[in-house]
Every structure is written in structure tokens, then in C-alpha cells.
Amino acid sequence: LLSMAFSPEVETDATFYLFYTASSPRRSVLSRFKIAGDGIADPESEEVLLEVEQPFGNHNGGTVLVGPDGMVYVSLGDGGAANDPMGHGQNLGTLLATVLRIDPSGTEGDRAYKIPADNPFVETKEAKPEIWAYGLRNIWRMSFDRETGELWAGDVGQNQWEEIDLIRKGGNYGWRYREGTHQFDTATPPEESVFIDPVVDYPRSDGISVTGGFVYRGKARPAAVGVYLYADYESGRIWGLRAEDGKLIEGPKEIARLRNSKIASFGEDADGELWVCTFEGDAMSGEGALWRFTGPLERSVADSGENSVGGLEPRGEARHAASLRNAHLDEPNRCVKGELKYRQGHAELGIIAARAAHYGGVCHEVGKLFLDAGLAVGAGNGHDGSGECSSMGCREKVQCRPNVVD
């Protein structure tokens, strides 16, 4: 399971989308599911909308979103191996190395969806009409700014550079001619090529795999409103920046570092507050955690504030909100029978819930993820019965109930 998203009308249409990988043959799958009247997702309701053959086992991309225009957006990697050996990045005849945009409201020919008439390559000969943007190596997490509607993405690099992009209609982001803003391929791109520069890129000295985040639109930290937060999976660093029309105007500044944590995903709740999903320690251990930013972040060194990004102090502290340690399907008061539960009002939590379920080892089978009107999946044993964070070093109380973490 790579990603999930709720329909904007989930309260009435009971619909959500999953994007996942499958084998025999190796492929990426976008499907639509229904939530039954009792609030439990029905695995038998799966309707496959799109399948994309994958030549290799890596670079599957992995975000599905429902945009502010009601269209479904999906990111796909370049097909894998290394160095884009099949040249997918600059090939409009494949769905790989792209962001796709489809209309889920009906069917068209042999497609289980419609092609939006304003997609940029509808009239381009031999181009796939689903493509919204291309030249992308392997986006790992993208999100819409809930205020401006801009689409942000973190594109994972090959050898030296990780990048943050604003995804534009018809945009070519340069892979594999470029990695970030830097030349990658020894070949010269066609003279007519126009590449969109990333908002920012960073070298391997800062991390090895970018995790795209969100533009902060919450209320807990007013000075941070409008700041885009993103991270590096391996180094645990979290940065903030501001941009206008795709151009960096402030930052990036490192605002936190989660040592011994591997940052797999971000999530945004109904109030615009941001959450972070991590592996804890060894990525293969099955232990995960959710973190919430509460503000203001504390400064690690005293300064006058001139080094902050819109009130985001460098190297501040993130607070651990919920442990998912050792939460397995068969444990009491955790994921009872592994049923997916949903309560209205928190559709924005879909992606982080899916990631926590996948990486935390909690109800990882499709149709067996725990979602709740709280802010996590399952209940971990990092909390005692009183709701006080007991073992994870938290300094704030969180309300814990059987099968629910708030």
C-alpha cells in the first residue's frame, strides 16, 4: 500500500481511493473502494481504475490525491532500476515518470475514468492524455496547498540531489537530463526543451531521500502559516521554506531533526495541523510512530529570531504524539479483527493513516486499516491507561482509548 485518499464527498458517497503495488505481473494499481453503512470498508467493493506495468521493483512513486478541482492525481516513478535505463522520464508515450490527472466521475471508451478535456497533452500525438506533468524520477509524497491549490512534491534523486517541486500543468522537470538543477545525463537535451527548476534541491550531505510534506495552514503556530515543511527520510531532518510562484523567497531552514527516526510521510488533519509518520530505529523492525508539531517549537539555542523562517525556529522540538510500537493484528484493544473504521470529518488524515498502518505493522492488509476521527491508526503501547505518554518521552497528554489514538 502506497497511498490513500478520500473522496471530498465521502460523507455521502462513502468512497475512497487506494494506490498500491501488485505482482504477477508487477504493476501499480489505482482502485476505488466503498465504505459500508457500518463504517467498515468493503474489500469486495474494489473497482480498479488504472493499472500500470512496472518493469522493475523500485521507483513506484506513490501518492494519490483528490484535487480541489475534483480530479484524481497520481504520481508514478520512472519504472525503477537506476538512471532511468528505459528513458521514461522524457517519453510522453508512457505513464511512468509522471503525475497523472484523471476524472473519476465516469468512463470513456475502455477506460474506467474520463480524460479531463483541459489536460495538457490531450491533443499531442502519441502522448498519454492522462499526463499532467513529466520528467519526474520518483515523487515520494505530494500535496495540495489547501489555500492556494498549488501542488507540491518531493522528487527523490539518483546519486547526489533531492528536490522539491511545484507541479505545473504540462511541466517538464528534466529527469534524466537533470537531477535537481544539475546535469545528470551526458547527452544534450533537445534545443526546444524547457525544464522547470525545483523550488529547492539539497545534496547528499543533508540526506539521501526526500519526503514531500505540506504547506502549513493550521492555527497552533500562526507565524508558520504558509511555510512548506518537508523532510529527508534517512537523516530525519525537517526543513521549512516559503515560495512565491515557484521561486524560493525564504529559507530553507532546518526546524527539527528526529534522530533515529526515518521520516516516511506527512499528514494534514482537518484543522490544517501537520503530522509526521516515521519508522523508529530499524526500518524493518515493524515499529513506527506518529509525531505532531505543536507550537511554537522550542529553540535549541538562544537567538534574536533572525534565523527563523516565518517563526519556525531552527532545530526546534517535535513532540511525540502516538506510539505504534508492537501494535499487531491479534493484540487486544488494537485493530480488533483488523477492520477499517471511518468517522466523518477527518478525510484529510487518509495518507498518514495509511502510512502508519503500513509501516507500524498495524492492520496492513487492504480493508483492514484502522482509521478514526482521531489522528492515528490503532493504539500503541507507548501510552499508559491514563493517556499520559509513559515511555516515549512526551511532555503533553494525549487522550488514549481502546483502538483509538487522538
Side-chain angles (χ1 to χ4, degrees), residues 41-326:
D42 178 11
E44 301 302 319
S45 69
E46 180 175 15
E47 178 187 0
V48 175
L49 300 181
L50 176 67
E51 293 185 303
V52 180
E53 181 180 353
Q54 291 284 354
F56 302 100
N58 57 338
H59 298 187
N60 293 311
T63 306
V64 57
L65 301 170
V66 181
D69 55 0
M71 302 295 106
V72 170
Y73 292 74
V74 183
S75 66
L76 284 147
D78 65 6
N83 306 316
D84 192 14
M86 303 176 75
H88 292 143
Q90 297 298 307
N91 181 5
L92 287 171
T94 176
L95 297 180
L96 298 171
T98 67
V99 172
L100 308 180
R101 177 178 181 254
I102 63 173
D103 182 349
S105 67
T107 62
E108 187 175 286
D110 60 355
R111 299 185 180 97
Y113 52 86
K114 296 191 293 186
I115 301 296
D118 58 345
N119 271 11
F121 302 108
V122 169
E123 303 297 332
T124 301
K125 186 178 180 180
E126 298 182 358
K128 296 291 187 183
E130 294 92 341
I131 295 174
W132 184 250
Y134 68 109
L136 295 153
R137 181 178 177 272
N138 191 38
I139 287 177
W140 184 249
R141 295 296 171 244
M142 60 182 186
S143 66
F144 282 99
D145 181 339
R146 60 165 58 190
E147 182 171 304
T148 68
E150 291 180 312
L151 180 57
W152 290 78
D155 195 17
V156 178
Q158 179 67 54
N159 295 321
Q160 296 183 347
W161 298 94
E162 308 294 307
E163 67 186 83
I164 295 296
D165 296 304
L166 269 174
I167 303 300
R168 306 294 195 190
K169 176 180 179 179
N172 181 354
Y173 292 82
W175 177 249
R176 70 179 182 186
Y177 288 117
R178 303 196 311 179
E179 184 183 18
T181 57
H182 311 270
Q183 181 180 351
F184 181 83
D185 200 325
T186 57
T188 301
E191 188 174 334
E192 67 273 15
S193 297
V194 177
F195 300 142
I196 296 178
D197 287 340
V199 178
V200 69
D201 56 15
Y202 65 88
R204 286 299 165 91
S205 58
D206 289 337
I208 68 169
S209 183
V210 68
T211 298
F214 285 82
V215 175
Y216 181 76
R217 297 295 179 186
K219 297 179 180 178
R221 302 168 60 225
V225 171
V227 171
Y228 177 73
L229 300 178
Y230 63 101
D232 187 84
Y233 167 81
E234 183 66 29
S235 70
R237 290 183 169 93
I238 300 176
W239 296 274
L241 62 81
R242 293 183 187 273
E244 287 184 0
D245 195 28
K247 303 298 182 183
L248 185 69
I249 61 170
E250 196 173 1
K253 290 291 184 181
E254 183 180 320
I255 63 165
R257 188 170 186 183
L258 307 183
R259 298 183 183 275
N260 299 316
S261 296
K262 299 185 185 301
I263 300 175
S265 193
F266 285 78
E268 181 183 45
D269 68 27
D271 296 322
E273 303 302 331
L274 298 187
W275 296 71
V276 181
C277 181
T278 65
F279 290 112
E280 292 300 291
D282 180 3
M284 303 306 293
S285 68
E287 296 183 356
L290 292 176
W291 304 70
R292 181 176 63 181
F293 286 110
T294 57
L297 296 180
E298 295 181 0
R299 298 182 185 182
S300 58
V301 293
D303 62 36
S304 62
E306 64 269 16
N307 293 324
S308 67
V309 178
L312 296 177
E313 291 80 7
R315 298 180 183 273
E317 177 185 346
R319 297 185 180 180
H320 204 167
S323 170
L324 296 175
R325 295 180 184 275
N326 302 318

Side-chain angles (χ1 to χ4, degrees), residues 286 324-339 357 360-365 368 370 378-379 381 403:
L324 296 175
R325 295 180 184 275
N326 302 318
H328 299 295
L329 289 172
D330 56 354
E331 291 186 356
N333 295 328
R334 297 176 181 87
C335 304
V336 176
K337 295 184 180 179
E339 298 168 333
V362 184
C363 306
H364 58 278
E365 297 177 21
K368 296 181 180 179
F370 245 89
N381 50 10
N403 310 315

